[in-house]
Amino acid sequence: GDSVTQMEGPVTLSEEAFLTINCTYTATGYPSLFWYVQYPGEGLQLLLKATKADDKGSNKGFEATYRKETTSFHLEKGSVQVSDSAVYFCALNHPNAGGTSYGKLTFGQGTILTVHP
Amino acid sequence: NAGVTQTPKFQVLKTGQSMTLQCAQDMNHEYMSWYRQDPGMGLRLIHYSVGAGITDQGEVPNGYNVSRSTTEDFPLRLLSAAPSQTSVYFCASSYSGGGVETQYFGPGTRLLVL
């Protein structure tokens, strides 16, 4: 079955440092890939997504590129801020020809990011 | 729009008690799902629904029941709570139109079973 593996956390960085959170996946066919973020005490919010090989998703300074050859979707940000402290989840779904996965996502275990001033 | 709402925010149960976690969405989304979040395990799918009257099991369905009588509501029932069901529960909704399906999550219900 499908699976998603994220780098072990927690990750602690100083403000303005470069961030990479690794994500690899196992899936048949052509899944869509997502990064979700969970701020303290809140639900999950979509951060970015990519639907096919070599697509780059980006939002709020974060980027991730869908690499089919390495089955990876690593999250990067050039300069983190204290406000980026959160839990980050990599996830995938398997849409059908119409783009639907019926609400089913497979998540990685999450990576806790703490950014210090 | 309120989006996806969940009640209660926090609940303490004793082993063997029953309860219903409520979930509602006002976006007219077709699909709704329930996940549980446990430390080090990410989110795991419990049950999902593709429309009113249609539900199916996810990865970890044991001990939970669902029904969907309306498009808006998707309650999750614990018939006899167990300590292993201590977790944070998230409800989500999504729709199929307009490109890649995107899930919208509620704020979560934190459940403690003693």
Side-chain angles (χ1 to χ4, degrees), chain A residues 32 34 36 38 41-46 49-51 87 89 93 98-110, chain B residues 31-33 35 37-38 40-45 48-50 90 94 96-97 99-108:
Chain A
S32 295
F34 305 84
Y36 280 85
Q38 183 181 29
E42 298 184 10
L44 278 72
Q45 304 174 23
L46 178 66
K49 61 188 177 186
T51 60
V87 183
F89 292 95
N93 71 6
T100 299
S101 65
Y102 305 114
K104 297 184 288 182
L105 283 168
T106 300
F107 284 88
Q109 70 268 38
Chain B
Y31 313 130
M32 297 186 74
S33 38
Y35 294 84
Q37 181 184 20
D38 301 295
M41 302 188 73
L43 278 73
R44 293 179 292 169
L45 182 65
Y48 67 100
S49 169
V50 299
F90 289 100
S94 59
S96 61
V100 176
E101 180 183 324
T102 299
Q103 299 242 27
Y104 295 81
F105 284 83

Side-chain angles (χ1 to χ4, degrees), chain B residues 18-76:
Chain B
S18 63
M19 80 162 295
T20 299
L21 281 63
Q22 301 292 343
C23 173
Q25 53 94 6
D26 61 358
M27 298 174 283
N28 201 33
H29 285 174
E30 302 162 85
Y31 313 130
M32 297 186 74
S33 38
W34 276 102
Y35 294 84
R36 60 178 289 172
Q37 181 184 20
D38 301 295
M41 302 188 73
L43 278 73
R44 293 179 292 169
L45 182 65
I46 303 172
H47 286 285
Y48 67 100
S49 169
V50 299
I54 307 172
T55 65
D56 204 349
Q57 297 180 352
E59 181 185 353
V60 288
N62 292 341
Y64 307 96
N65 281 350
V66 293
S67 61
R68 191 157 175 215
S69 56
T70 67
T71 299
E72 294 79 20
D73 300 300
F74 190 43
L76 179 72

